[in-house]
Amino acid sequence: RATETFVGGTSANLTETVVVTVVPPPSASNAGTDQIICGLSTNLNASNPLSGTGQWSQVSGPATASFGNINVRNTNVSVSTSGTYVFRWTVSRNPCTPTFDDVSIIFSQPHTSANAGDDLTICDGEKAELYGSGGNSFSWQPALEIENNTSYHGTASPSVNATYTLTVSNGGTCV
């Protein structure tokens, strides 16, 4: 806002004012507690900003995450690949410097079920080829009777009728 003061028809003084507006800084960010999840989705739970607005973003992870609503503090997040992800809750209020906090979440994909394969009939002296599925790690029991007892493909040489049990895991918290 400029004002001019005239004295005797000529400009004597030129004055201008500026308005400075002071806003409170954004609230401190709290992204919530680190989690270990058996599954591929969870609810994030950040602090509710009293000053400014919050927004979620992905910092790291083996795949791209999908947020229910990046502007909601307690939104859902889903991933397509198990692993460790870091998410950031940023609280902004212009023209102030934003605040942020990170939360680490380990997603472990649950398996649908252990599959030890079809029942087999073999001749005495032959080997039984065992093929399992349903996880990332395998354990055949009784282990002493099976070659490669920690592989999806084990081999047994029973001399009498036998039953073998397969346990699978995807690692992490899901068994």
Side-chain angles (χ1 to χ4, degrees):
R1 294 179 192 115
T3 59
E4 240 178 301
T5 305
F6 292 94
V7 176
T10 61
S11 178
N13 295 319
L14 185 59
T15 308
E16 185 168 1
T17 61
V18 63
V19 176
V20 176
T21 304
V22 178
V23 297
S27 300
S29 298
N30 181 342
T33 306
D34 292 347
Q35 302 176 41
I36 299 174
I37 301 297
C38 183
L40 296 177
S41 69
T42 190
N43 286 317
L44 300 172
N45 192 19
S47 60
N48 191 17
L50 299 176
S51 174
T53 57
Q55 186 173 60
W56 285 105
S57 61
Q58 181 178 346
V59 176
S60 64
T64 301
S66 175
F67 296 92
N69 183 335
I70 61 171
N71 298 310
V72 175
R73 70 177 187 85
N74 57 352
T75 193
N76 180 271
V77 63
S78 299
V79 299
S80 60
T81 303
S82 58
T84 302
Y85 291 76
V86 176
F87 302 107
R88 177 167 291 164
W89 177 242
T90 302
V91 178
S92 301
R93 177 151 189 177
N94 283 333
C96 305
T97 302
T99 64
F100 66 88
D101 186 42
D102 295 343
V103 62
S104 177
I105 301 179
I106 300 171
F107 293 93
S108 295
Q109 185 171 359
H111 54 279
T112 54
S113 63
N115 182 351
D118 295 330
D119 291 343
L120 303 171
T121 302
I122 61 169
C123 288
D124 190 12
E126 291 182 348
K127 293 185 178 197
E129 300 291 328
L130 307 173
Y131 291 93
S133 63
N136 294 331
S137 65
F138 304 87
S139 175
W140 289 97
Q141 296 296 325
L144 294 177
E145 295 180 17
I146 302 171
E147 295 175 40
N148 298 322
N149 58 36
T150 58
S151 170
Y152 77 95
H153 176 210
T155 305
S157 301
S159 58
V160 295
N161 291 345
T163 300
Y164 300 104
T165 303
L166 175 64
T167 301
V168 299
S169 172
N170 281 333
T173 59
C174 300
V175 179

Coordinates of all heavy atoms in Angstrom, one line a residue, residues 7 10 13-14 21 40 51 54 62 67 72 79 82 90 92 95 97 108 114 119 131-132 143:
V7 N 3.7 18.2 -0.9 CA 3.9 19.5 -0.3 C 4.2 20.5 -1.4 O 5.2 20.4 -2.2 CB 5.1 19.5 0.7 CG1 5.4 20.9 1.2 CG2 4.9 18.5 1.8
T10 N 4.7 19.1 -5.1 CA 5.7 18.1 -5.4 C 5.7 17.1 -4.4 O 5.3 17.3 -3.2 CB 7.1 18.8 -5.5 OG1 7.4 19.3 -4.2 CG2 7.2 19.8 -6.6
N13 N 7.2 12.9 0.4 CA 7.5 11.6 1.0 C 6.7 10.6 0.3 O 5.6 10.8 -0.1 CB 7.0 11.7 2.5 CG 7.8 12.6 3.3 OD1 9.0 12.7 3.2 ND2 7.1 13.4 4.2
L14 N 7.3 9.4 0.2 CA 6.6 8.2 -0.4 C 6.7 7.2 0.7 O 7.8 6.8 1.2 CB 7.4 7.8 -1.6 CG 6.7 6.6 -2.4 CD1 5.3 7.0 -2.8 CD2 7.5 6.2 -3.6
T21 N 1.8 -11.6 8.3 CA 0.8 -12.5 9.0 C 1.7 -13.6 9.6 O 2.5 -14.2 9.0 CB -0.2 -13.0 8.0 OG1 -0.9 -11.9 7.4 CG2 -1.2 -13.9 8.8
L40 N -1.3 -58.5 3.8 CA -0.8 -57.5 2.9 C -1.5 -56.1 3.0 O -1.4 -55.3 2.1 CB -0.9 -58.0 1.5 CG 0.0 -59.3 1.2 CD1 -0.2 -59.7 -0.2 CD2 1.5 -59.0 1.4
S51 N -2.4 -28.2 14.0 CA -2.1 -27.1 13.1 C -1.5 -27.6 11.9 O -0.5 -28.4 11.9 CB -1.0 -26.2 13.8 OG -0.6 -25.2 13.0
G54 N -2.1 -33.1 7.2 CA -1.2 -34.3 7.1 C -1.4 -35.0 5.8 O -2.4 -34.9 5.2
P62 N 9.7 -53.0 -1.1 CA 9.9 -53.7 -2.3 C 8.9 -53.5 -3.5 O 9.2 -54.0 -4.6 CB 9.9 -55.2 -1.8 CG 9.1 -55.2 -0.6 CD 9.3 -53.8 0.0
F67 N -2.7 -46.4 -0.9 CA -3.3 -45.9 0.3 C -4.8 -45.7 0.1 O -5.2 -45.3 -1.0 CB -2.7 -44.5 0.6 CG -1.2 -44.5 1.0 CD1 -0.3 -44.3 0.0 CD2 -0.9 -44.7 2.3 CE1 1.1 -44.4 0.4 CE2 0.5 -44.7 2.7 CZ 1.4 -44.5 1.7
V72 N -5.8 -38.7 5.0 CA -6.5 -39.1 6.3 C -5.5 -39.8 7.2 O -4.8 -40.8 6.7 CB -7.7 -40.1 5.9 CG1 -8.3 -40.6 7.2 CG2 -8.7 -39.4 5.1
V79 N -0.3 -53.6 0.1 CA 0.9 -53.8 -0.7 C 0.7 -55.1 -1.5 O -0.2 -55.9 -1.1 CB 2.2 -53.9 0.1 CG1 2.4 -52.6 0.9 CG2 2.1 -55.0 1.2
S82 N 5.2 -59.0 -0.1 CA 5.6 -59.0 1.3 C 7.0 -58.4 1.5 O 7.8 -58.3 0.5 CB 5.6 -60.4 1.9 OG 6.4 -61.2 1.2
T90 N 3.6 -36.6 6.9 CA 4.1 -35.2 6.9 C 3.0 -34.3 7.2 O 1.9 -34.3 6.6 CB 4.7 -34.9 5.5 OG1 5.7 -35.9 5.2 CG2 5.3 -33.5 5.4
S92 N 2.0 -30.3 7.1 CA 2.5 -29.1 6.5 C 1.5 -27.9 6.8 O 0.3 -28.1 7.0 CB 2.4 -29.2 4.9 OG 3.3 -30.3 4.5
P95 N 3.6 -20.9 5.5 CA 4.9 -21.1 4.8 C 6.0 -21.8 5.6 O 7.1 -21.8 5.3 CB 5.4 -19.6 4.5 CG 4.9 -18.9 5.8 CD 3.6 -19.6 6.1
T97 N 8.1 -24.8 7.7 CA 8.8 -26.0 7.3 C 8.0 -27.2 7.8 O 7.6 -27.2 9.0 CB 10.2 -26.1 8.0 OG1 11.0 -25.0 7.5 CG2 10.9 -27.4 7.7
S108 N 4.0 -59.8 6.0 CA 4.3 -61.2 5.6 C 3.0 -61.8 4.9 O 2.0 -61.7 5.5 CB 4.7 -62.0 6.8 OG 5.8 -61.6 7.4
A114 N -0.7 -75.6 3.3 CA 0.4 -76.5 2.9 C -0.2 -77.5 2.0 O -1.2 -78.1 2.2 CB 1.1 -77.1 4.1
D119 N -1.3 -88.6 -2.7 CA -0.8 -89.9 -2.1 C -0.1 -90.7 -3.2 O -0.5 -90.6 -4.4 CB -1.9 -90.7 -1.5 CG -2.5 -90.0 -0.2 OD1 -1.8 -89.1 0.3 OD2 -3.6 -90.3 0.2
Y131 N 6.6 -83.8 -3.5 CA 6.6 -82.4 -4.0 C 5.6 -81.6 -3.2 O 4.4 -81.9 -3.2 CB 6.2 -82.3 -5.5 CG 7.2 -82.9 -6.4 CD1 7.2 -84.2 -6.8 CD2 8.3 -82.1 -6.8 CE1 8.2 -84.8 -7.6 CE2 9.3 -82.6 -7.7 CZ 9.2 -83.9 -8.1 OH 10.2 -84.5 -8.9
G132 N 6.1 -80.5 -2.5 CA 5.2 -79.7 -1.7 C 5.1 -78.3 -2.3 O 5.9 -77.9 -3.1
A143 N 12.0 -86.1 9.4 CA 13.1 -85.6 8.7 C 14.2 -86.6 8.4 O 14.8 -86.6 7.3 CB 13.7 -84.4 9.4

